[in-house]
Amino acid sequence: MLSRLVVVVSAVVAVAMAGHRLIPALGGFTPVMESLLPWLGVSVPLLLLAAALARSRAAAIAALVPGVVWAAMFGSTLLRTPPGGPSDLTVGTVNVGVTNNASGEAVRIIAKDLDLLAAQELTSGGPAAKQLNKMFKYHYPVSTVGLWSRYPISETKPLDVGLGWPRALRAVVATPKGKVTVYVMHLASARPGETASRDVSLAHARKLIDADPSKRILLLGDLNTATTDRGMRGLTPPLSDAQTVAGDGFGFTWPSEFPITRPDHILFKGMTATKAGVAPATGSDHRAAIASLRL
């Protein structure tokens, strides 16, 4: 009985991983499952243990199948070496946490080596904004999001990504190597059974990117969409994911104490990512995403 159960569960896990994008998004469950997709690999050692207890060779072989699927899908992520090389722009994005009284300290640590920092869940006149204003000469806040830069900012515009109020922005940053169009976004939240608003805001984001003729585009923010979520197909392509291209590992950012998924992203086009990673953010339930780019 136990060996049969191992075979069945192994088959279900393998099919769920390999064919996750073919599973209908019923009740909003599928996007959440996709956000946690890499963690399905944890089932493999448990299945192997169950097969050993059942003393079944067939069950052990079956338990290895989802392991092979996982390795094919995610093995390169763990083995990837960042391309490195010279970079012209170091950027970051962080959801500072609306109730985070230590957000000023969080951004001080994160931003000290950055050229650009995008922040979400800002409060008007809060500690994060005050600290960043001291560190950067140029800044453009809109509602609860903002962009801080060591280089001049122009062509600023608040944006509504389908939420009925501006929770995103567009700006052009004049770097020493040329202009970069920067978007900062905080898309709608996604919860089990509640992904419709997030999907609408993703569609708005894609329309903005498609309509932008800029040679170089950088999108920073909390997109409430994991790299493995099918919703990211709306943005990657046309944009590339810095963590996927140049990161070391999965780069999970949420929740901060034990990250299991990555809703915080650095997406780009017209540039080359040389390095990407994650940094702690004091007091926030998110970690920061950071990346270096060559123009």
Side-chain angles (χ1 to χ4, degrees):
M1 182 66 179
L2 180 58
S3 62
R4 185 176 299 176
L5 179 63
V6 171
V7 172
V8 171
V9 173
S10 297
V12 170
V13 173
V15 170
M17 284 193 289
H20 65 97
R21 288 184 175 174
L22 300 177
I23 301 173
L26 300 174
F29 164 78
T30 311
V32 175
M33 183 271 288
E34 288 181 323
S35 298
L36 302 175
L37 201 61
W39 293 96
L40 289 182
V42 174
S43 66
V44 175
L46 298 178
L47 290 167
L48 286 171
L49 176 60
L53 293 174
R55 298 182 180 180
S56 169
R57 180 177 297 179
I61 294 172
L64 290 174
V65 173
V68 172
V69 173
W70 189 95
M73 294 177 67
F74 303 115
S76 61
T77 300
L78 299 180
L79 298 174
R80 181 175 54 231
T81 300
S87 62
D88 305 305
L89 195 65
T90 304
V91 305
T93 181
V94 61
N95 181 323
V96 297
V98 67
T99 61
N100 181 11
N101 293 326
S103 61
E105 177 65 9
V107 296
R108 184 189 68 80
I109 296 171
I110 295 165
K112 61 181 180 179
D113 297 320
L114 301 182
D115 300 308
L116 301 177
L117 179 68
Q120 305 86 48
E121 289 201 12
L122 295 166
T123 55
S124 179
K130 287 180 178 178
Q131 178 62 41
L132 290 170
N133 288 344
K134 297 176 184 178
M135 299 177 70
F136 293 88
K137 183 177 180 180
Y138 306 98
H139 52 89
Y140 178 55
V142 172
S143 183
T144 58
V145 302
L147 174 66
W148 279 261
S149 171
R150 301 198 187 282
Y151 308 121
I153 297 174
S154 63
E155 302 179 44
T156 55
K157 183 180 180 180
L159 300 172
D160 176 10
V161 283
L163 300 173
W165 54 287
R167 202 161 81 162
L169 63 85
R170 179 189 186 274
V172 175
V173 176
T175 79
K177 290 292 185 73
K179 292 183 177 181
V180 177
T181 298
V182 182
Y183 289 87
V184 178
M185 297 183 180
H186 188 185
L187 301 188
S189 297
R191 297 179 177 85
E194 299 179 16
T195 61
S197 295
R198 192 283 311 273
D199 294 342
V200 168
S201 60
L202 270 170
H204 275 261
R206 175 60 186 267
K207 289 179 181 178
L208 289 167
I209 298 301
D210 284 345
D212 197 315
S214 302
K215 178 182 176 182
R216 301 186 185 102
I217 293 179
L218 188 58
L219 194 163
L220 309 170
D222 178 357
L223 306 184
N224 277 306
T225 311
T227 305
T228 47
D229 187 329
R230 68 186 64 183
M232 281 298 286
R233 289 183 295 176
L235 289 173
T236 55
L239 304 178
S240 298
D241 186 324
Q243 181 65 30
T244 299
V245 173
D248 183 8
F250 291 103
F252 296 141
T253 60
W254 183 90
S256 58
E257 291 187 0
F258 187 85
I260 58 174
T261 189
R262 182 181 172 89
D264 306 281
H265 295 279
I266 297 173
L267 310 180
F268 67 95
K269 80 170 186 178
M271 297 170 278
T272 300
T274 60
K275 186 178 180 181
V278 174
T282 306
S284 175
D285 60 341
H286 289 246
R287 296 186 183 186
I290 56 176
S292 297
L293 301 151
R294 184 165 59 247
L295 276 59

